[in-house]
Amino acid sequence: MLERLGYHPLGFSSNKDAEAWLEEDTPEAAIVDDPCDRELEGLFGVLKARNVDLIALDGPPPQPSKA
């Protein structure tokens, strides 16, 4: 869906990989699936300093409806 809206989403398997990518680039926005993870504090600091919009997903993923 993000591609259809003109975005080029990237995913990282670790905070270290995301921080390495941030050394050379800056995203328009970032989606984080666990905003309470203390290991993300450094990553959040970099994103905040660069005024990157942050979308934090919290809670379990939605479940399919039972019709």
Side-chain angles (χ1 to χ4, degrees):
M1 178 176 186
L2 292 172
E3 289 99 348
R4 287 189 295 170
L5 295 172
Y7 294 97
H8 305 284
L10 299 173
F12 299 98
S13 59
S14 72
N15 298 340
K16 192 174 197 172
D17 289 344
E19 289 172 355
W21 183 83
L22 284 171
E23 289 179 11
E24 303 206 13
D25 213 337
T26 299
E28 292 179 41
I31 301 172
V32 181
D33 65 356
D34 189 358
C36 297
D37 186 345
R38 291 239 182 242
E39 292 182 20
L40 295 175
E41 287 179 357
L43 188 64
F44 286 154
V46 171
L47 295 171
K48 183 177 179 180
R50 296 184 191 178
N51 295 314
V52 173
D53 292 329
L54 183 63
I55 301 164
L57 305 178
D58 193 15
Q63 299 297 314
S65 62
K66 296 178 183 176

